[in-house]
Amino acid sequence: MQIEILYCGVCHSDIHQVRDEWGGSIFPMVPGHEIVGRVVKVGGHVKKFKEGDLAGVGCFVDSCRECPQCKSGLEQYCDVGMNATYNGYEKDGKTPTYGGYSTNIVVDENYVLKVSEKLPLAGVAPLLCAGITTYSPLRHVGVKKGDKVAVLGLGGLGHMAVKFASSFGAEVTMLSSSPSKEADAKKLGAHHFVLTSDKKQMNTVRNTFDVILNTVSAPHQYATYLDLLTVNGTMIVVGVPPKPAEVPAFNLIMKRRSIIGSLIGGITETQEMLDYCAEQHIVSEVEVINVSYINQAYERMLKNDVKYRFVIDITSLRN
């Protein structure tokens, strides 16, 4: 099926891929895996969508479909490897995939999401990556009313984590190194704010949290934040620092704490997340830009100068 792209979110991973900071970048490259648009053509076997439907495409456009992960709705963990929306290859292993900084994309219907007409589409686009990246792990660990959840880092991922955790009924604390972010954190739904550079504030929340969702991609000490977890507490890692982190064993064993990682979500769960957002009126906080502004947007992202996700208006590419 062919989707005319209307908006595409700008993920921090786009910068890494464009600059080949993770290695293995495939050029020429068309980034973008936070895609919303409208179906303009469907093939003869398409049953789930029709022309005119709103649709979304996230971080992958195919997978092996046969491994235990794919069959259980965890395509993002495909044993063969999911086929990335861009900077990857189709299943033939030869044809490059191209993403959402473009006017159209063709995707198998089984890897396309239904998008509600209820929400502003620019705010929906980042849900396809930033949204599911935070929704999935919070659901996986069963965050519920009364749980004490801390979100480390208020950016594209962190602001969605705050929205989701608070909507699930948790008592949410924002952990940030930027005092200027306190007001925003509370507007987004955080109940408390702790300045991580303030030792006194940090000491008041030691052994406190059931869950910490760690969104930070810059180098930082995991041990500092593990000490904030209560007995059986869990740190969920979704940020990707450039170098491996050190994790002292005592910080884990003394309170039976754990660290887990999480990667986006499968198609079924991503659809669940989009439906939940439509019901709860949850979208990302975005700054809409023309495609010609992308280089400036990258530079601003590196300075954390965006609240909280850039989204490209793809009509600017058509004009």
Side-chain angles (χ1 to χ4, degrees):
M1 53 188 284
Q2 181 180 342
I3 301 167
E4 181 181 59
I5 301 172
L6 300 174
Y7 294 97
C8 183
V10 182
C11 181
H12 201 283
S13 61
D14 296 349
I15 300 176
H16 292 303
Q17 304 278 32
V18 165
R19 299 185 178 185
D20 197 20
E21 293 174 350
W22 290 342
S25 290
I26 304 164
F27 298 101
M29 182 190 299
V30 179
H33 57 205
E34 299 179 344
I35 301 165
V36 292
R38 199 170 291 277
V39 178
V40 291
K41 290 183 182 179
V42 296
H45 298 288
V46 173
K47 296 179 180 179
K48 299 177 183 178
F49 293 85
K50 64 182 185 303
E51 291 183 14
D53 286 350
L54 288 176
V57 179
C59 298
F60 57 94
V61 291
D62 213 335
S63 62
C64 84
R65 311 187 188 202
E66 297 296 332
C67 73
Q69 276 52 258
C70 287
K71 289 185 175 181
S72 61
L74 297 172
E75 299 94 341
Q76 75 273 33
Y77 301 126
C78 175
D79 288 342
V80 177
M82 64 180 180
N83 299 92
T85 301
Y86 77 89
N87 199 38
Y89 291 100
E90 302 284 358
K91 291 179 76 172
D92 62 8
K94 299 177 181 179
T95 306
T97 54
Y98 298 115
Y101 294 16
S102 56
T103 58
N104 288 265
I105 190 168
V106 177
V107 184
D108 186 296
E109 65 172 336
N110 293 303
Y111 293 81
V112 178
L113 292 309
K114 295 181 182 294
V115 173
S116 172
E117 300 272 2
K118 295 179 181 178
L119 301 174
L121 293 185
V124 171
L127 299 179
L128 277 303
C129 178
I132 189 59
T133 294
T134 50
Y135 179 93
S136 181
L138 292 173
R139 286 300 199 197
H140 176 72
V141 300
V143 168
K144 61 188 182 304
K145 184 176 181 179
D147 286 346
K148 293 185 176 181
V149 174
V151 176
L152 179 57
L154 184 58
L157 294 176
H159 92 284
M160 290 307 309
V162 170
K163 288 190 174 193
F164 284 135
S166 60
S167 76
F168 297 162
E171 182 180 337
V172 181
T173 299
M174 169 52 59
L175 304 174
S176 175
S177 60
S178 302
S180 61
K181 292 189 175 181
E182 180 172 2
D184 270 7
K186 291 184 175 178
K187 286 180 183 177
L188 292 165
H191 303 92
H192 312 288
F193 181 90
V194 171
L195 187 63
T196 56
S197 59
D198 187 323
K199 290 185 178 180
K200 289 184 179 179
Q201 290 188 39
M202 291 287 281
N203 282 334
T204 64
V205 290
R206 291 188 70 220
N207 306 316
T208 295
F209 302 114
D210 302 297
V211 175
I212 295 175
L213 186 58
N214 184 347
T215 74
V216 175
S217 293
H220 61 289
Q221 296 295 322
Y222 279 28
T224 300
Y225 303 101
L226 286 169
D227 282 346
L228 308 185
L229 290 168
T230 187
V231 174
N232 296 324
T234 301
M235 176 188 284
I236 307 166
V237 175
V238 294
V240 186
K243 295 182 180 179
E246 292 186 2
V247 181
F250 276 110
N251 294 82
L252 298 175
I253 66 176
M254 296 306 291
K255 296 287 183 180
R256 200 163 62 188
R257 300 168 175 133
S258 60
I259 299 177
I260 65 171
S262 183
L263 177 70
I264 51 176
I267 295 298
T268 298
E269 188 174 44
T270 304
Q271 188 64 62
E272 173 192 306
M273 181 267 308
L274 288 171
D275 294 343
Y276 179 82
C277 288
E279 293 169 4
Q280 301 293 321
H281 301 286
I282 294 173
V283 291
S284 295
E285 303 297 312
V286 302
E287 180 178 334
V288 179
I289 61 171
N290 288 345
V291 69
S292 60
Y293 190 74
I294 192 63
N295 288 327
Q296 294 96 314
Y298 282 178
E299 293 302 321
R300 285 180 55 192
M301 287 168 67
L302 294 172
K303 299 174 183 176
N304 295 317
D305 180 24
V306 56
K307 293 184 177 180
Y308 280 95
R309 203 70 156 188
F310 286 116
V311 172
I312 302 170
D313 179 350
I314 298 299
T315 62
S316 66
L317 185 56
R318 297 186 179 92
N319 298 333

